[in-house]
Amino acid sequence: MFEVLVFVYENYWRGDACPEPEQLGRKLSAHGFDPEEIHDALQWLDGLSLATQGLQIERDANDSHSATVRLSAPAEAAMPQSSDAMRVYSQAEQEHLGADCLGFIRFLELSNLLPCGLREIVVERAMAAPGAPVALDELKIIVLMVHWSTGIEPDALVLDELCESREG
């Protein structure tokens, strides 16, 4: 599935430039991807699309890489996250993500590279990914795809870190 996601990321500059699932499936099939991988990737992308529908993204006018992300919710339910708030991961999340991925997510948060709204989408999409624990390289693809789907382009150093493979 992750090879298909990388192909989509590399060939469609933003989520809104990606063709509809049926047409994308035909293109992926024409490029020789396994039908099961295509099916899994299309389901995962559909979940990503649903997860990002409720986002309100406010871009910083002075920095094209900086954005504030808020989840849409009724005004009475929306509470901004405190700067000293802490995300507690469930047992299932800890087992599925593993220590490496949880540490990387925390690194991105502390570096102000993954706002809490996007973090939650990354965690949700990682939980929807096969394999336990999710490999760090797979998590990096998930982070890239979440940024891709929202149209938020990570800065060059972050992009280098996300594209760097441990194997390479």
Side-chain angles (χ1 to χ4, degrees):
M1 176 184 87
F2 288 99
E3 290 178 18
V4 175
L5 295 178
V6 169
F7 178 87
V8 170
Y9 179 83
E10 290 176 344
N11 287 279
Y12 300 100
W13 64 282
R14 281 185 36 179
D16 56 5
C18 193
E20 293 298 317
E22 190 173 301
Q23 183 182 4
L24 178 59
R26 286 193 302 268
K27 288 185 178 207
L28 293 169
S29 182
H31 277 87
F33 288 105
D34 179 66
E36 188 175 325
E37 284 184 321
I38 294 170
H39 177 264
D40 291 348
L42 291 177
Q43 275 192 315
W44 192 92
L45 287 168
D46 186 50
L48 178 61
S49 176
L50 289 172
T52 58
Q53 276 181 351
L55 290 183
Q56 296 175 355
I57 300 170
E58 299 170 13
R59 287 183 171 70
D60 184 345
N62 300 324
D63 183 1
S64 63
H65 303 296
S66 180
T68 301
V69 179
R70 291 185 176 83
L71 297 173
S72 293
E76 62 274 5
M79 291 178 48
Q81 180 172 331
S82 168
S83 62
D84 60 349
M86 181 174 70
R87 169 62 154 90
V88 178
Y89 292 91
S90 71
Q91 184 68 33
E93 289 170 333
Q94 291 176 38
E95 290 172 4
H96 194 77
L97 295 171
D100 286 346
C101 289
L102 291 172
F104 188 70
I105 290 170
R106 188 67 180 140
F107 162 74
L108 292 175
E109 287 178 291
L110 292 174
S111 303
N112 294 319
L113 302 171
L114 191 64
C116 64
L118 290 185
R119 177 201 58 219
E120 292 307 310
I121 294 171
V122 166
V123 170
E124 187 273 330
R125 291 289 74 212
M127 292 299 290
V134 172
L136 183 57
D137 287 342
E138 294 170 345
L139 180 74
K140 289 178 179 184
I141 293 168
I142 292 169
V143 172
L144 276 174
M145 294 305 293
V146 168
H147 279 87
W148 170 84
S149 70
T150 60
I152 299 171
E153 183 180 330
D155 71 25
L157 292 175
V158 175
L159 200 53
D160 284 346
E161 176 63 28
L162 292 173
C163 292
E164 181 180 291
S165 174
R166 282 183 149 181
E167 299 167 4

